Amino acid sequence: MGVRTRRPRRPQPGHTLTDQLPESGFPSGIGTPATTVLVLLLLHAGLCAVLLGGRESGTVPAAIAESQAQLVRGAGAAVGAAASQGIADLRAATAVPAATPEDLVARLLQNGKWRGAAVLDAGSRALVASRGEPVAVQSLPRSVTGTTVTPVVGADGALRVVVAQALPGARLLVAARGSRLPDAALGGDLRETLLLTASTGQVIDSRGAPLDPDVGRLVELASAAAAAGEKGNLTGSTVAGRQPTVVYTPVSSAQVDGVLGLAVVSVVRAPVTDSGPGGNGVIPAVALAAVALSGFLVVRRVLVGPVRRLRADALAIAGGRLMTTRIRRSRTREVDRIAAAFEHCRAELGGGTPERPGSRRRRGPATWFAIGLTSAAVLGWSATVLVTAGSRDVVVPDAVVSSAGNQTTAATDALRRSLNDGLADLTSFAALTGGDVRSGLDELIAGQSRYRSVYVADRSGGAGSVVGRPPLRTAEPLPAEPGLLLRQGTAPVPVLFAHAPLPDGQALVGEFDLDHIARLLGRAPGSVRLVDDDLRTIAATDGFVAFAELGAELRDSATDAGKDGPVARTQEGTDGQAVVVAAPLRGGASGQLGWTVVAEQPVVDLALPGNEQRRDAMVAALVAALLAVLLFGWQYLLLLRPLRRVAEAADEIVAGRYSSVTYPQHQDQIGTIASCLEICRQALTDGVRRLGGARRPSGAATDATELIAAVPSAPRTRPRPSPAPRGR
């Protein structure tokens, strides 16, 4: 029984051709780019309404919290440095053997930083020798093998740093020194308070305004968290337009593992400001949505609609419906040129009269003009947002300026104390060791980051017994009195050094490390410089030229600070509007130098609502500009260029030149039009029977066409028998 098959129906013109010209899906397609970019622009418009609209509720500017965090970090580092300094002092004191325990504690107290010292028996803790204030030896751990540091609150409520050093012969050297917060001009509009607290919340030292009772619980929580090694901030309830903000950090020392159980806490009552003006984001969002919809309609009218109509007419002509199809012309130039080619083919193959080339050519807009106009509209929206929302002046609250002034004042005080302590260390060490100082120089510089080198200078100023890096100071006789000097040494950097005379006419010299000075200056905000009395740069937190004069924008602030004390204000800086703070070094040997610390922080770097809105506007404008580039680039590369290429091939057909093959560049609607145009060109060459099928040439468009000769068929003959295989 045979298998019954059904005779296929005769395909209708155009149907088979449609099936043979497949078109890819997303991201191909004549309308895909416009629709995709429209959706992205509408989503971006909603994002702009949120970004540029601001929030109705107010908060404390983040710039205040950031400045307070930097302030407490600097203050904590200053308190921790006292512990490190105590360890270095005891190690230096024990490096030179003493005749008796009494002699050791007497020499140690010659350094005015120690309040009391004692020598104990390591096992029984019996007192061997003591001098000065009684030391809280009960706070020491049971076993002391090296050097330990213990913070203790004295009878007067002040902080004492108790340092213990193991001595030969099973003895301990114990000394206590006071420690306090650095000086800072706190208070003012912020009602700022800086506290040094224990883990229980007990206030050991304070600066600024009195502490309000309603923030006591926040201070206790902050102290407990900081004593455990944490850092952060807490906020309270807003009262009368002000919100209490508590920022805390633990106190640690580079010479001690872990934390010391102390905390530096900053309490401010900053005025609440709005995050940004509300409602401004609706207008840019609506404008962007209008631009996106208008551009989408323009692209649909100029490009998408005409190409789709042309595709339908091209399939009809290439499918053989010559007499029933009317070619619809378009106002778009490239589409109309291709339509003219199909009209020419219809007239030639259908027996009509072809039109003269260019007789019905319409002067309409080019496709790239519509795409470019839409992209330019989106770019114009981006520029408008940048000009309106992104270029507004940012108002700097007085609280932010005051906080920057407090930071700079604290950094200046830390620098002053470091320089004065360095000179005091050299003076005390020279008196402690007498004339034999070479054996203790290693202990003097060990653990001290302030010195780059320490050495003994002879009567002519030449360096000898150098510990550390090679000296930069030029050899010259030194004054007989101890002090701080600034010179320009052999290298193109300033050389700041302290010197203390020795009994034999020599001097002990310690050159300060500029990196250490820069780290202390870094506790102030922005770009910080240390200038001398002639306003020449000595050190800076960023790159600088030695002894370069201070910029003209900052000279007035530095001069006013030298006369009237710290100055903090908003003015025109080096790169635009900036918060400029200048604080002089006053007190001790460093105060006699007449130096000033100048800090400059650009307003654009502050965490203020105006800056946040400006950054949001820049982000919104940048994203919209990228979408505009995506719109133009996507349509130009994937649609406009292939369409222009097909239009050029269509011009050749209208001109009567049928030798050029038209290849589809992509499998989309434009590729279908190109294939139909190629079918019509072949029909003009081979006859009307060519219509109705998509006979595609094999190979690439650049391959040479070769004519392969026909192979003649061989005559049919009887096959010859194969020879029998031979035997072995």
Side-chain angles (χ1 to χ4, degrees):
M1 181 176 179
V3 179
R4 185 177 180 181
T5 59
R6 186 178 62 178
R7 183 178 180 182
R9 294 182 304 171
R10 185 175 182 180
Q12 298 296 325
H15 290 190
T16 304
L17 184 61
T18 305
D19 297 336
Q20 295 183 20
L21 296 176
E23 296 175 355
S24 303
F26 185 88
S28 298
I30 189 67
T32 301
T35 305
T36 303
V37 176
L38 172 65
V39 173
L40 293 177
L41 285 175
L42 292 179
L43 292 176
H44 185 54
L47 179 63
C48 291
V50 177
L51 286 179
L52 305 181
R55 295 188 298 271
E56 304 239 346
S57 59
T59 57
V60 175
I64 295 180
E66 292 180 0
S67 63
Q68 293 304 306
Q70 190 169 357
L71 177 64
V72 296
R73 284 197 300 268
V79 176
S84 300
Q85 180 66 35
I87 296 176
D89 289 347
L90 255 66
R91 288 176 178 174
T94 56
V96 180
T100 62
E102 290 78 6
D103 183 35
L104 177 59
V105 295
R107 290 190 305 175
L108 181 61
L109 290 185
Q110 290 179 3
N111 188 337
K113 296 180 291 185
W114 295 101
R115 292 179 174 268
V119 176
L120 307 176
D121 182 84
S124 62
R125 300 296 172 92
L127 184 63
V128 177
S130 66
R131 178 167 293 192
E133 181 183 289
V135 181
V137 297
Q138 67 277 5
S139 62
L140 298 176
R142 291 300 305 170
S143 176
V144 179
T145 57
T147 307
T148 62
V149 177
T150 305
V152 177
V153 179
D156 56 353
L159 177 64
R160 301 287 189 270
V161 177
V162 179
V163 184
Q165 171 72 36
L167 297 176
R171 291 183 176 181
L172 293 178
L173 173 61
V174 183
R177 57 179 295 171
S179 182
R180 60 185 181 86
L181 291 171
D183 294 332
L186 305 177
D189 183 63
L190 280 179
R191 296 171 59 185
E192 185 177 3
T193 306
L194 190 63
L195 305 173
L196 178 64
T197 63
S199 59
T200 59
Q202 178 187 0
V203 177
I204 302 174
D205 193 9
S206 64
R207 297 285 186 275
L211 188 63
D212 294 332
D214 58 339
V215 296
R217 180 55 181 168
L218 294 178
V219 172
E220 293 179 3
L221 295 176
S223 301
E230 301 177 5
K231 56 184 177 181
N233 59 77
L234 302 172
T235 56
S237 301
T238 302
V239 178
R242 292 178 176 270
Q243 184 179 32
T245 302
V246 177
V247 184
Y248 57 91
T249 189
V251 176
S252 59
S253 173
Q255 304 292 330
V256 180
D257 295 335
V259 295
L260 299 178
L262 301 175
V264 177
V265 182
S266 171
V267 181
V268 295
R269 286 189 175 272
V272 171
T273 59
D274 290 335
S275 298
N280 288 341
V282 177
I283 298 177
V286 172
L288 180 59
V291 169
L293 290 173
S294 302
F296 176 76
L297 295 177
V298 170
V299 173
R300 297 277 297 187
R301 183 176 181 84
V302 175
L303 178 62
V304 178
V307 168
R308 287 179 174 174
R309 291 191 296 268
L310 177 62
R311 173 184 175 274
D313 296 343
L315 286 172
I317 296 298
R321 292 180 290 177
L322 301 177
M323 306 306 297
T324 60
T325 303
R326 185 178 67 87
I327 302 299
R328 289 167 288 185
R329 306 299 290 268
S330 174
R331 293 186 178 276
T332 304
R333 293 181 187 178
E334 291 82 358
V335 176
D336 188 68
R337 290 161 59 187
I338 301 172
F342 282 107
E343 178 65 24
H344 176 84
C345 296
R346 188 190 67 82
E348 285 281 355
L349 299 174
T353 303
E355 300 179 359
R356 291 185 299 105
S359 60
R360 292 182 57 188
R361 187 68 56 83
R362 299 185 181 184
R363 291 294 180 182
T367 52
W368 66 266
F369 178 76
I371 307 301
L373 181 63
T374 305
S375 302
V378 179
L379 291 176
W381 179 89
S382 301
T384 304
V385 169
L386 284 179
V387 171
T388 55
S391 60
R392 296 173 182 171
D393 293 334
V394 178
V395 178
V396 183
D398 295 337
V400 176
V401 179
S402 175
S403 182
N406 296 339
Q407 289 179 258
T408 307
T409 303
T412 304
D413 182 68
L415 176 61
R416 176 189 62 81
R417 292 168 62 178
S418 180
L419 297 180
N420 292 341
D421 288 349
L423 176 60
D425 289 345
L426 292 182
T427 305
S428 175
F429 188 78
L432 181 66
T433 57
D436 184 16
V437 299
R438 291 175 175 81
S439 59
L441 290 181
D442 290 332
E443 293 296 336
L444 177 63
I445 200 173
Q448 292 284 358
S449 60
R450 65 165 61 101
Y451 301 117
R452 66 176 309 275
S453 62
V454 178
Y455 52 89
V456 177
D458 56 20
R459 297 177 184 273
S460 62
S465 303
V466 179
V467 177
R469 287 175 283 177
L472 298 177
R473 184 184 63 88
T474 303
E476 61 177 350
L478 296 174
E481 297 296 328
L484 296 173
L485 294 177
L486 177 67
R487 295 289 186 269
Q488 184 170 3
T490 56
V493 293
V495 180
L496 173 62
F497 61 94
H499 63 92
L502 294 173
D504 55 357
Q506 301 184 96
L508 183 63
V509 179
E511 295 185 4
F512 290 95
D513 188 4
L514 292 182
D515 292 337
H516 170 75
I517 296 177
R519 285 192 294 271
L520 295 177
L521 296 177
R523 299 178 185 178
S527 176
V528 190
R529 293 180 178 271
L530 175 64
V531 297
D532 60 7
D533 52 352
D534 293 329
L535 302 184
R536 299 179 305 170
T537 302
I538 301 171
T541 56
D542 49 9
F544 70 100
V545 178
F547 298 104
E549 293 186 358
L550 191 65
E553 303 86 358
L554 309 177
R555 296 180 69 88
D556 292 340
S557 297
T559 303
D560 295 343
K563 297 177 181 178
D564 305 326
V567 174
R569 55 195 176 197
T570 304
Q571 65 176 53
E572 193 67 22
T574 305
D575 298 320
Q577 200 73 4
V579 176
V580 178
V581 183
L585 270 74
R586 290 182 176 176
S590 61
Q592 301 175 4
L593 299 174
W595 293 354
T596 306
V597 175
V598 182
E600 177 189 11
Q601 187 174 25
V603 174
V604 296
D605 294 341
L606 298 173
L608 297 174
N611 285 333
E612 294 177 1
Q613 188 177 26
R614 175 183 295 176
R615 285 190 288 268
D616 292 341
M618 294 178 63
V619 171
L622 177 60
V623 172
L626 293 177
L627 291 178
V629 173
L630 174 65
L631 171 66
F632 184 82
W634 191 353
Q635 304 212 50
Y636 179 78
L637 295 176
L638 298 184
L639 301 180
L640 301 188
R641 289 181 61 181
L643 186 64
R644 185 180 301 175
R645 179 175 171 269
V646 176
E648 294 174 355
D651 293 340
E652 294 291 321
I653 293 177
V654 172
R657 295 184 290 269
Y658 309 144
S659 58
S660 299
V661 179
T662 304
Y663 287 90
Q665 193 168 351
H666 303 289
Q667 289 184 346
D668 54 5
Q669 289 89 338
I670 298 177
T672 299
I673 295 173
S675 299
C676 293
L677 188 63
E678 172 60 20
I679 293 173
C680 293
R681 184 197 67 81
Q682 295 178 13
L684 291 173
T685 304
D686 301 339
V688 71
R689 65 182 182 277
R690 174 67 188 88
L691 300 177
R695 185 178 64 193
R696 297 187 177 184
S698 61
T702 57
D703 294 343
T705 302
E706 298 180 1
L707 181 62
I708 303 177
V711 179
S713 58
R716 301 184 62 183
T717 59
R718 296 182 62 183
R720 297 176 59 185
S722 59
R726 295 183 179 181
R728 190 176 287 274

